[in-house]
Amino acid sequence: MTGVIPSQTIETMLKTGEISVTQPVAEGQVQPASLDLRLGTVAYRVRASFLSGSGRSVQDRLAEFEMHRIDLTNGAVLEKGCVYVVPLMESLALPDGIQAVANAKSSTGRLDLLTRTITDGGTEFDRIASGYTGPLYAEICPRSFSVLVRPGMRLNQIRFRQGQSVLTDADLSALHDRSPLVDGDAVIDDGLGFSVDLKPDEGTLVGYRAKPHTGVIDLDNIGHYDPAEYWEELHASDGKIILDPGAFYILVSREAVSIPPAYAAEMAPFLAMVGEFRVHYAGFFDPGFGHDAAGGTGSRGVLEVRCHEAPFVLEHGQVVGRLVYERMTDVPEQLYGVGIASNYQGQGLKLSKHFKTV
């Protein structure tokens, strides 16, 4: 079997030691097609982001770049604009033929909290080679808000794959015919394209822009913070906005996306030639996201957008990203949204779970 490994197989990997943990697995840590990774007890403040490189360990590189270390046991603030490396509670002993990819969780991305996984001998962020045996580390760089973290917090997640099972455009078109992947026509070209919604059905609110000077966000506080203290509302009456260089935005897709139970999807990096912006730090879409079988009935994709060097005009309906669909090796026993308190099933334009509902 080739494809993305489902929750029940991840449970088996935990039992056999292919995934090891320093603390018992937490409730809800195993997701339909991924495993949440947990922060350990210490954070290393480093001078710069780094990859360990072939033949070298993360600890080797920390000896070069560490400025100081922070005990997270009783909670500690990771400051905006700084780079930290945190050993995770999980480590791997992958068999040959099983590779892994990591990504920030949705709530992490919506806080502009750049979080990437690094490994010993790693030459890429978030990509873990078949057969890797060793520890996992999170590199964390808060971009918009300083955050208070504690051991056990889950900022990123890991997905395991056996072989390659990415759907071709022909496969994707056939799947869309059987089980619509978006409402309306599907733009399929090297994945499923989706566009930005800047003409809402009601009102003129199209998104949010992060304020530059705010207080700390305690990541344990759910539904706690007043959005107005951290975000500026973005309104558009003519279907377009201008992105400011260096600013961070929360927008929403025009299409409602659906992930059938036997599939998973990942947000592909978007080509820079399309515009001066990057979309979506948190790229995993679990089986059942937005799907009728999981109570989703179509869920919009929330877009985390950072503008680069030049101001850029973003217009309603402009294609800003694409989803790459993959087959699962088996349908997960638990789908996204069904009985697992998924925060973003059936969502529209929505900030992270830490903010009060607008």
Side-chain angles (χ1 to χ4, degrees), residues 50-87:
F50 65 84
L51 289 165
S52 53
S54 181
R56 304 192 67 177
S57 71
V58 174
Q59 289 294 334
D60 290 339
R61 307 317 301 270
L62 284 173
E64 296 179 54
F65 300 118
E66 177 187 349
M67 299 173 66
H68 62 269
R69 62 190 67 180
I70 304 166
D71 183 1
L72 302 183
T73 304
N74 296 315
V77 173
L78 305 185
E79 296 186 14
K80 173 182 170 180
C82 298
V83 183
Y84 303 87
V85 173
V86 181

Side-chain angles (χ1 to χ4, degrees), residues 31-32 106 286-290 294 334-338 340 342-345:
Q31 295 291 309
S106 292
D286 272 317
F289 179 87
Q334 186 71 67
L335 297 178
Y336 186 90
V338 178
I340 59 173
S342 302
N343 289 292
Y344 304 117
Q345 186 70 299

Side-chain angles (χ1 to χ4, degrees), residues 177-234:
D177 290 339
R178 297 194 308 270
S179 177
L181 305 177
V182 292
D183 53 339
D185 295 332
V187 177
I188 295 176
D189 182 10
D190 201 18
L192 177 69
F194 58 90
S195 60
V196 63
D197 185 3
L198 297 178
K199 288 184 178 179
D201 292 337
E202 297 181 7
T204 59
L205 178 66
V206 297
Y208 300 90
R209 178 171 50 209
K211 290 186 173 182
H213 308 292
T214 66
V216 171
I217 294 175
D218 183 335
L219 297 184
D220 272 341
N221 288 341
I222 308 302
H224 177 80
Y225 296 99
D226 180 357
E229 295 182 6
Y230 294 83
W231 300 94
E232 299 173 10
E233 290 188 351
L234 280 180

Side-chain angles (χ1 to χ4, degrees), residues 22-312:
T22 59
Q23 295 292 327
V25 175
E27 182 179 355
Q29 189 177 350
V30 178
Q31 295 291 309
S34 61
L35 175 72
D36 290 348
L37 300 173
R38 299 172 294 174
L39 300 182
T41 58
V42 63
Y44 298 88
R45 167 77 167 92
V46 293
R47 287 186 286 132
S49 171
F50 65 84
L51 289 165
S52 53
S54 181
R56 304 192 67 177
S57 71
V58 174
Q59 289 294 334
D60 290 339
R61 307 317 301 270
L62 284 173
E64 296 179 54
F65 300 118
E66 177 187 349
M67 299 173 66
H68 62 269
R69 62 190 67 180
I70 304 166
D71 183 1
L72 302 183
T73 304
N74 296 315
V77 173
L78 305 185
E79 296 186 14
K80 173 182 170 180
C82 298
V83 183
Y84 303 87
V85 173
V86 181
L88 297 171
M89 292 184 180
E90 291 73 31
S91 59
L92 300 179
L94 296 179
D96 289 338
I98 301 294
Q99 58 184 300
V101 59
N103 218 316
K105 289 177 65 63
S106 292
S107 294
T108 307
R110 294 182 201 200
L111 290 175
D112 198 17
L113 189 57
L114 180 61
T115 304
R116 303 184 286 193
T117 301
I118 55 177
T119 61
D120 291 345
T123 56
E124 293 181 279
F125 292 108
D126 289 332
R127 297 296 187 265
I128 301 167
S130 167
Y132 174 76
T133 296
L136 299 173
Y137 300 81
E139 180 198 271
I140 304 168
C141 180
R143 304 291 302 276
S144 290
F145 313 114
S146 296
V147 294
L148 178 63
V149 301
R150 300 177 183 83
M153 284 184 169
R154 311 173 202 174
L155 302 189
N156 53 347
Q157 55 193 167
I158 191 167
R159 182 175 282 180
F160 301 93
R161 292 188 175 103
Q162 185 166 322
Q164 295 294 330
S165 61
V166 173
L167 270 64
T168 65
D169 285 350
D171 292 336
L172 205 54
S173 295
L175 177 60
H176 177 65
D177 290 339
R178 297 194 308 270
S179 177
L181 305 177
V182 292
D183 53 339
D185 295 332
V187 177
I188 295 176
D189 182 10
D190 201 18
L192 177 69
F194 58 90
S195 60
V196 63
D197 185 3
L198 297 178
K199 288 184 178 179
D201 292 337
E202 297 181 7
T204 59
L205 178 66
V206 297
Y208 300 90
R209 178 171 50 209
K211 290 186 173 182
H213 308 292
T214 66
V216 171
I217 294 175
D218 183 335
L219 297 184
D220 272 341
N221 288 341
I222 308 302
H224 177 80
Y225 296 99
D226 180 357
E229 295 182 6
Y230 294 83
W231 300 94
E232 299 173 10
E233 290 188 351
L234 280 180
H235 291 267
S237 56
D238 57 357
K240 60 177 177 284
I241 58 173
I242 297 177
L243 303 178
D244 293 325
F248 178 74
Y249 299 84
I250 296 292
L251 304 172
V252 69
S253 72
R254 186 166 58 108
E255 300 81 6
V257 177
S258 175
I259 313 296
Y263 299 86
E266 184 176 356
M267 186 77 71
F270 204 48
L271 298 176
M273 67 184 69
V274 177
E276 287 291 329
F277 60 91
R278 171 184 172 172
V279 173
H280 223 284
Y281 292 93
F284 288 166
F285 287 72
D286 272 317
F289 179 87
H291 196 266
D292 288 348
T297 60
S299 296
R300 303 289 189 94
V302 167
L303 310 176
E304 301 135 13
V305 178
R306 177 170 290 280
C307 185
H308 296 321
E309 286 83 3
F312 186 79

